[in-house]
C-alpha cells in the first residue's frame, strides 16, 4: 500500500470521524441519497432489497449492518411487517430516528451468535470498514446455512462528472489547471472489487448493476451532495468551502448554457449465498 492510499484508507475508515462527524446525524447521508431523485431510470433500492428478501421465511430475522438513517429498515417494516429486524451501526447519533430494535455495533464484531439470522444487509457500508475481509467473515458467520447477505456499493466510474467538476473548481481556487481529486468513499470496496471480497466466503455472488443518469436544472442538489463530504474536508488539498463556491459558479454557467447538468451513475447490489 502506498503512503497516499494508507492515509486515504485511514480517513475513510476512521471510527471517530465516522461516528463523531460524518454520521453523527443523518443529515449528510440524506443529502447524498436525495440526489438520486433526479436519476433516470429511478431505482427503488429499498424495494429491490425487499424483493431479494422475498424468500426469507415468515417471521425470519434480518440484520441491517451499518443501517445509517434506517431508510431500508423503514421500508422493510412496511413491506415485510412479519420480519424481526435489527439495525446496527457504529454511529450512535444516526440511530436516533431509526424505528424498532437498534444497537451500536461494529461490523467486524457483530453481537450475534453464529447462524442466528436469515439475512444480513451491508448496504453502502463495507468501504468504511478497516478490515473488509473480517467484516465479510462476520456477515457469513451470523447468517444461517441457507441464508443470504445483500451488499451494495458504487462503481469506480460512478459520478465521474462530479469528480471532474471538483477538480476544475479546485484548480480554479488554487490557480492551477486541474486541482487535486476529491475523496472517493467507495473506492476500497467498489463494484469492481466487491465480488472478489464477497467470493471469499460465498459460493454464489449475483451482481445487479444499476446504471443511470442524474439530470438537474438547479445547482443546489449537486452542491448539497458535494458539501455532504464536509467530514473529510481536511483530506482535500484545497480549501473545501471555496471549492464548493467555485463549483456552484461553474454549475450555474453550465446550466445557463446547456439547460441541464448531467451526471452518469453506476451502483450495484450483490446478493450472496453459500
Ligand atoms: C453510507 S452510510 C450507508 C447507510 C445505509 N446502509 C444506507 O445504505 O442508506 C454508511 C453507514 O455505515 C456505518 N458504518 C461505518 N463503519 C461501520 C462499521 N465498522 N460497523 C458498523 N457500521 C459502520 C456508518 O456509521 C454509516 O451509518
Amino acid at each position: 500500500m502506498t503512503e497516499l492510499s494508507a492515509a486515504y484508507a485511514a480517513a475513510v475508515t476512521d471510527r471517530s470521524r465516522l461516528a463523531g462527524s460524518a454520521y453523527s446525524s443523518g443529515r449528510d447521508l440524506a443529502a447524498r441519497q436525495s440526489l438520486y431523485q433526479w436519476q433516470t431510470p429511478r431505482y427503488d433500492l429499498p424495494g429491490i432489497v425487499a424483493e431479494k428478501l422475498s424468500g426469507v421465511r415468515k417471521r425470519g430475522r434480518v440484520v441491517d449492518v451499518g443501517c445509517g438513517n434506517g431508510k431500508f429498515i423503514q421500508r422493510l417494516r412496511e413491506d415485510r411487517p412479519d420480519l424481526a429486524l435489527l439495525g446496527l451501526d457504529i454511529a450512535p447519533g444516526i440511530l436516533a430516528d431509526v424505528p424498532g430494535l437498534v444497537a451500536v455495533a461494529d461490523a467486524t464484531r457483530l453481537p450475534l451468535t453464529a447462524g442466528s439470522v436469515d439475512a444480513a444487509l451491508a448496504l453502502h457500508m463495507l468501504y468504511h470498514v478497516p478490515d473488509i475481509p473480517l467484516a465479510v467473515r462476520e456477515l457469513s458467520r451470523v447468517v444461517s446455512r441457507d441464508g443470504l447477505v445483500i451488499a451494495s456499493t458504487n462503481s469506480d466510474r460512478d459520478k465521474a462528472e462530479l469528480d471532474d467538476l471538483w477538480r476544475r473548481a479546485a484548480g480554479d481556487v488554487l490557480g492551477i489547471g486541474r486541482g487535486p481529486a476529491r475523496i472517493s468513499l467507495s473506492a476500497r470496496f467498489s463494484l469492481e472489487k466487491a465480488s472478489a471480497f464477497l467470493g471469499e466466503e460465498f459460493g454464489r455472488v449475483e451482481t445487479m448493476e444499476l446504471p443511470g443518469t442524474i439530470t438537474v436544472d438547479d445547482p443546489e442538489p449537486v452542491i448539497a451532495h458535494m458539501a455532504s463530504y464536509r467530514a473529510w474536508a481536511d483530506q482535500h488539498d484545497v480549501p473545501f468551502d471555496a471549492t464548493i463556491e467555485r463549483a456552484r459558479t461553474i454549475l450555474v454557467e453550465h446550466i445557463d448554457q446547456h439547460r441541464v447538468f448531467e451526471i452518469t451513475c453506476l451502483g450495484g447490489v450483490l446478493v450472496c449465498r453459500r
Side-chain angles (χ1 to χ4, degrees), residues 1-126:
M1 206 182 244
T2 65
E3 232 177 280
L4 188 70
S5 61
Y8 155 78
V12 172
T13 61
D14 173 32
R15 190 176 176 142
S16 61
R17 189 186 297 258
L18 294 172
S21 166
Y23 302 111
S24 56
S25 80
R27 193 196 57 175
D28 286 341
L29 178 60
R32 280 207 288 287
Q33 290 167 338
S34 77
L35 188 58
Y36 289 97
Q37 66 189 280
W38 287 278
Q39 180 176 287
T40 321
R42 234 182 127 177
Y43 298 106
D44 173 16
L45 215 46
I48 290 172
V49 170
E51 195 271 320
K52 297 287 177 198
L53 294 177
S54 58
V56 171
R57 68 186 165 101
K58 241 184 158 115
R59 288 186 287 280
R61 294 176 178 183
V62 177
V63 60
D64 186 353
V65 180
C67 65
N69 53 9
K71 186 174 133 178
F72 291 85
I73 286 183
Q74 283 179 25
R75 178 60 173 273
L76 285 171
R77 280 167 71 92
E78 286 164 23
D79 287 14
R80 288 292 305 271
D82 62 296
L83 293 176
L85 302 168
L86 168 64
L88 300 177
D89 204 287
I90 51 156
I94 209 165
L95 290 173
D97 297 325
V98 182
L101 201 56
V102 295
V104 176
D106 191 317
T108 56
R109 281 180 61 185
L110 294 174
L112 296 166
T113 54
S116 60
V117 299
D118 299 279
L121 312 179
L123 304 168
H124 279 79
M125 64 80 58
L126 282 167

Side-chain angles (χ1 to χ4, degrees), residues 15 43 84 97 104 132 134 141 145 151-152 168 171 184 193 223-224 250-251:
R15 190 176 176 142
Y43 298 106
D97 297 325
V104 176
I132 297 172
L134 179 56
R141 182 183 67 78
R145 273 223 75 69
S152 66
R168 272 186 65 193
S184 157
K193 295 181 182 128
I223 292 300
I250 295 172
L251 274 171

Side-chain angles (χ1 to χ4, degrees), residues 157-218:
R157 287 178 282 139
D158 181 60
K159 302 189 192 70
E161 295 84 354
L162 274 196
D163 297 333
D164 195 54
L165 173 62
W166 179 271
R167 293 192 74 159
R168 272 186 65 193
D172 289 351
V173 168
L174 296 173
I176 56 177
R178 266 163 74 79
R182 68 185 186 127
I183 199 162
S184 157
L185 297 184
S186 53
R188 299 179 61 251
F189 182 80
S190 63
L191 201 51
E192 288 77 4
K193 295 181 182 128
S195 49
F197 277 117
L198 296 164
E200 288 293 319
E201 284 292 318
F202 299 95
R204 285 182 290 158
V205 179
E206 170 211 338
T207 303
M208 182 183 182
E209 292 200 348
L210 306 171
T213 306
I214 289 169
T215 307
V216 291
D217 59 8
D218 172 4

